[in-house]
Amino acid sequence: MSAKDVYTVGKDITFKVAAGESDAKGTATTYHAVAVVKKSNSAINIDNLKGKRSCHTGKARTAGWDMPVGYLIDSGRMSVMGCNIPQGVADFFGQASCVPPWASCAQGQNPSLCPAVRYSYEGAFRCLVEGAGDVAFVKHTTVKENTDGNSKEPWAQNLLSTDYELLCRDGRRAPVTDFENCSLVRVPARAVVVRSEVDSYVVYNMLHEGVLKSKFPMFSSAAYGGKDLMFSDTSEAIILVDMEYKPWMGLRYYNALRATDCASDTPEFLRWCVLSDAEQRKCVDMADAFHQRALTPKIQCVYGDSMEECMQKIQNKEADAITLDGGFIYTAGKKYGLVPASGESYTGDTDGSVYYAVAVLKRDNMNIHSFGELQGTTSCHTGYGRTAGWNVPMAVLMEKGLIESQKCQMPQAAGKFFKASCVPGANQPGFPSNLCAQCIGDSSGSNKCERDMDRYDGYNGAFRCMVEGSGQVAFVKHSTVFQNTDGHSSEPWAVNLESRDFHLLCPDGSRAEATQYAHCNLASVPSHAVMVRPDTNAHAVFGLLDKAQAFFGSDGGSGFRMFDSTKYGGADLIFKDSTVKMIGVADKKTYTDWLGQHYIASLEVMDCPSSATALSSLSLVLVALLSSLLTLLSM
């Protein structure tokens, strides 16, 4: 079978790969799908292909379509809504792609770019050579076969291979000879597949002996009037494989095909789990706004009483998605088997999926210069179990030896360290009452210390708590100060605030301007992620959100705003209000990938089997320790 057939059959049938084809040296016969550009076009790289002109070998062909399109989708660079891949390609490359044949090309492309001579490998390369495209998606041998005097075609005369380069996955560019280290995907050779109980060694030995001792031409189809019959005509030997098909083909190839194979598992509805009445109202408006723009899958809203109930509903297929912060992603992944489908970026870049947890003080509060001097003070937190507002500062206090906590007793330790606090969500049986003492409730004074309901809940709420004098320190994320100062907020409590009036408290005992968060922070924290079941098509989820943010991602205008919760009397509803854009998860396809090994190690060291919520409250001890040490060493 070809590798693509192996992938297709593998979805429904259990089997293994017994042997593969190779050259005379025993190297598997394979090729690399590459992206080729002119060396003179020095500005182009794999990260800025959006809007460029592209040349493809043909629709549904491996090197020119399946691999580059699949790779761009899987890496989060290209989004596809509703599995409409041609439209996704058209949106990504604009009006300037050549994907022969024209009748099945990406919608909106220019027919003049797609004459018949620009079909197949040579045609796609010719499209690039003649200036019709900025990048050509071909196989690794195409450039050499059409340059350096190797082609007699008039358009290929005088072409030099050194005038062309490959685009690498990591953003580099490389000579066309370096395809093994600079390709989009390695395409596996044909494979001999057998039932799982069949002995691969018997199959291999039979075929290997046949090549060596038989006069039968296994690797020639000329006598039968065909090409590549049973075996590839270019092969010379058989090699032993004996493994399952996914490891054989490799994750890059598998993921690229998986990204384009979405028709069968794109859901009609995406049921979003919400946690409050305010979030429910925003969800309903989001569903209506998305429907008016004909975005798919359609949004439905499901109510959950807690984060964990929502996780349980998703696991039980009673809901499909929820946005969680780093403190709960671990629980969602480990306990409920959920995986990330999309992430929040707070910078607008693909690397903006990380933010900094900081401790903020008023500039004129000169009584505090170190974390030790926080003892006996009042504090403001985003919420119990939340990363920047609870997990990180508690971990820092533990790392510095300022608090001692028996396993899973962090609330009691915090209650002893601080005089009084506002920790929304800490109104739980057995928790110290002073953790809620500084909270003020909703606009009517009710729901004091309730998550998502207290006016001091969330990033903006914790900062407001400090601004209004209910706390001397606020544990928030690095962008919170700027979102509520210098005229960036219309809230009455924030309209006259200036960012220069606030300081950051650094782990080394110094203070810094609010702008110095990269060097004065408590930890670098994974951003919030949309978590779903593994059987949910993550590409469909990101495709929906990416398309939606083109219409609703701005905080201006009078319509629905994905990243603004002020209309609903809350903050960070469904998405964090500081989100600039939603991004794909790329290679961070599991909760461990998303959180990182240091984060996971800290959780496993402090594991509390009896309470997943308490687990998250201790989740960044090692991360905070490492971040603090690195900060000190770099200063």
Side-chain angles (χ1 to χ4, degrees):
M1 290 184 182
S2 70
K4 190 170 184 178
D5 287 338
V6 171
Y7 165 83
T8 301
V9 174
K11 293 188 294 182
D12 302 313
I13 299 174
T14 300
F15 62 88
K16 66 181 178 181
V17 177
E21 300 176 347
S22 77
D23 58 21
K25 298 179 180 179
T27 303
T29 51
T30 184
Y31 67 88
H32 296 261
V34 297
V36 181
V37 296
K38 291 181 178 179
K39 189 174 184 179
S40 58
N41 189 356
S42 59
I44 192 172
N45 61 60
I46 198 69
D47 295 318
N48 63 12
L49 284 181
K50 187 175 178 64
K52 303 297 190 295
R53 301 172 300 161
S54 60
C55 305
H56 305 255
T57 59
K59 188 172 183 289
R61 295 190 60 165
T62 302
W65 181 266
D66 288 340
M67 293 301 100
V69 172
Y71 165 70
L72 290 171
I73 295 172
D74 186 65
S75 66
R77 291 175 171 87
M78 178 190 295
S79 67
V80 176
M81 188 185 73
C83 199
N84 189 340
I85 292 177
Q87 185 62 56
V89 173
D91 291 342
F92 186 81
F93 288 114
Q95 303 295 313
S97 295
C98 177
V99 191
W102 164 247
S104 60
C105 282
Q107 300 173 20
Q109 80 176 219
N110 186 347
S112 66
L113 297 178
C114 281
V117 294
R118 291 179 184 157
Y119 186 75
S120 78
Y121 298 114
E122 292 76 13
F125 182 56
R126 180 176 179 179
C127 168
L128 171 69
V129 168
E130 295 180 340
D134 299 307
V135 59
F137 298 109
V138 291
K139 65 177 179 178
H140 70 277
T141 59
T142 302
V143 175
K144 280 287 191 178
E145 290 168 352
N146 292 278
T147 58
D148 303 331
N150 293 320
S151 173
K152 296 181 180 180
E153 292 294 325
W155 64 269
Q157 299 305 301
N158 303 317
L159 296 180
L160 299 176
S161 61
T162 53
D163 289 335
Y164 300 89
E165 290 184 330
L166 306 180
L167 302 184
C168 309
R169 295 167 63 102
D170 61 3
R172 296 181 300 111
R173 291 169 54 140
V176 295
T177 55
D178 194 24
F179 55 85
E180 289 189 356
N181 299 312
C182 183
S183 67
L184 302 184
V185 182
R186 181 188 70 86
V187 180
R190 279 187 173 187
V192 179
V193 303
V194 297
R195 293 190 307 276
S196 298
E197 69 271 17
V198 172
D199 190 332
S200 297
Y201 290 88
V202 172
V203 176
Y204 162 71
N205 287 332
M206 179 267 292
L207 295 174
H208 180 64
E209 290 295 307
V211 172
L212 294 179
K213 299 179 179 180
S214 171
K215 295 182 179 180
F216 176 72
M218 284 178 57
F219 304 121
S220 175
S221 304
Y224 306 94
K227 183 181 179 182
D228 299 329
L229 302 178
M230 296 185 68
F231 304 96
S232 300
D233 294 345
T234 55
S235 295
E236 299 177 74
I238 294 293
I239 57 174
L240 177 67
V241 176
D242 190 37
M243 65 174 63
E244 299 300 318
Y245 79 95
K246 286 184 183 179
W248 167 77
M249 65 176 53
L251 277 180
R252 288 184 178 180
Y253 181 81
Y254 176 83
N255 287 337
L257 282 184
R258 176 71 181 82
T260 59
D261 181 26
C262 52
S264 62
D265 62 353
T266 297
E268 180 181 2
F269 296 99
L270 189 69
R271 296 165 296 178
W272 211 286
C273 198
V274 297
L275 297 167
S276 65
D277 292 338
E279 202 164 51
Q280 171 83 4
R281 294 195 302 273
K282 182 176 181 180
C283 181
V284 170
D285 283 353
M286 182 170 76
D288 183 58
F290 286 14
H291 179 69
Q292 290 182 22
R293 290 287 185 173
L295 305 183
T296 58
K298 299 175 182 177
I299 294 291
Q300 291 182 338
C301 308
V302 176
Y303 200 96
D305 290 332
S306 66
M307 296 277 193
E308 287 219 35
E309 185 180 25
C310 279
M311 298 176 203
Q312 184 73 62
K313 284 179 177 289
I314 295 172
Q315 184 186 53
N316 294 341
K317 299 187 176 183
E318 299 169 5
D320 301 306
I322 185 174
T323 307
L324 298 175
D325 94 329
F328 290 97
I329 290 173
Y330 177 84
T331 302
K334 183 175 183 179
K335 185 175 180 179
Y336 297 96
L338 308 188
V339 297
S342 181
E344 297 177 344
S345 171
Y346 311 117
T347 65
D349 299 325
T350 54
D351 62 351
S353 59
V354 173
Y355 64 90
Y356 297 98
V358 296
V360 182
L361 307 167
K362 291 180 180 179
R363 177 186 286 269
D364 59 10
N365 182 357
M366 300 307 296
N367 296 323
I368 300 173
H369 291 84
S370 69
F371 276 80
E373 293 175 341
L374 290 178
Q375 187 165 8
T377 64
T378 52
S379 60
C380 304
H381 306 253
T382 59
Y384 178 70
R386 296 187 63 172
T387 302
W390 180 261
N391 299 345
V392 171
M394 295 303 105
V396 171
L397 293 175
M398 282 191 66
E399 179 263 321
K400 290 183 173 295
L402 297 172
I403 60 175
E404 294 183 4
S405 173
Q406 296 295 321
K407 204 171 189 181
C408 305
Q409 296 296 310
M410 187 62 74
Q412 288 72 18
K416 291 180 181 179
F417 183 80
F418 292 109
K419 176 182 178 181
S421 306
C422 178
V423 189
N427 53 342
Q428 300 183 30
F431 282 21
S433 60
N434 68 334
L435 294 182
C436 291
Q438 303 303 100
C439 296
I440 58 173
D442 56 25
S443 57
S444 64
S446 303
N447 299 305
K448 183 177 179 179
C449 206
E450 288 286 341
R451 179 187 294 274
D452 295 324
M453 302 181 75
D454 196 291
R455 282 172 287 172
Y456 288 167
D457 179 81
Y459 298 103
N460 294 341
F463 184 60
R464 178 181 179 179
C465 168
M466 183 195 62
V467 167
E468 295 184 339
S470 294
Q472 293 165 271
V473 60
F475 298 107
V476 291
K477 70 185 180 95
H478 70 277
S479 60
T480 303
V481 174
F482 308 107
Q483 292 162 359
N484 293 281
T485 58
D486 304 329
H488 293 136
S489 173
S490 59
E491 291 294 316
W493 62 271
V495 289
N496 296 319
L497 299 179
E498 296 184 5
S499 59
R500 64 183 181 181
D501 291 331
F502 299 93
H503 269 174
L504 304 181
L505 183 62
C506 310
D508 65 352
S510 64
R511 291 168 60 139
E513 299 292 335
T515 55
Q516 300 300 306
Y517 55 82
H519 301 289
C520 178
N521 63 77
L522 311 187
S524 177
V525 180
S527 75
H528 292 199
V530 178
M531 302 294 287
V532 300
R533 289 185 308 280
D535 61 355
T536 299
N537 187 332
H539 300 305
V541 176
F542 174 57
L544 166 67
L545 298 177
D546 189 45
K547 192 73 172 181
Q549 66 189 358
F551 299 112
F552 310 112
S554 172
D555 286 345
S558 58
F560 176 72
R561 303 174 183 178
M562 289 175 64
F563 311 131
D564 185 1
S565 305
T566 54
K567 176 181 177 181
Y568 307 95
D572 303 322
L573 303 177
I574 302 181
F575 309 105
K576 282 201 321 194
D577 294 341
S578 59
T579 303
V580 175
K581 65 182 293 187
M582 302 301 295
I583 57 175
V585 298
D587 293 331
K588 298 179 180 179
K589 292 180 170 59
T590 67
Y591 78 97
T592 55
D593 293 333
W594 188 264
L595 297 176
Q597 288 304 312
H598 292 317
Y599 195 113
I600 297 299
S602 69
L603 292 174
E604 291 174 344
V605 168
M606 295 293 180
D607 200 356
C608 299
S610 63
S611 174
T613 303
L615 234 174
S616 68
S617 73
L618 293 168
S619 63
L620 275 172
V621 174
L622 184 57
V623 175
L625 171 62
L626 293 173
S627 178
S628 299
L629 291 175
L630 290 173
T631 299
L632 290 171
L633 290 172
S634 65
M635 298 185 71

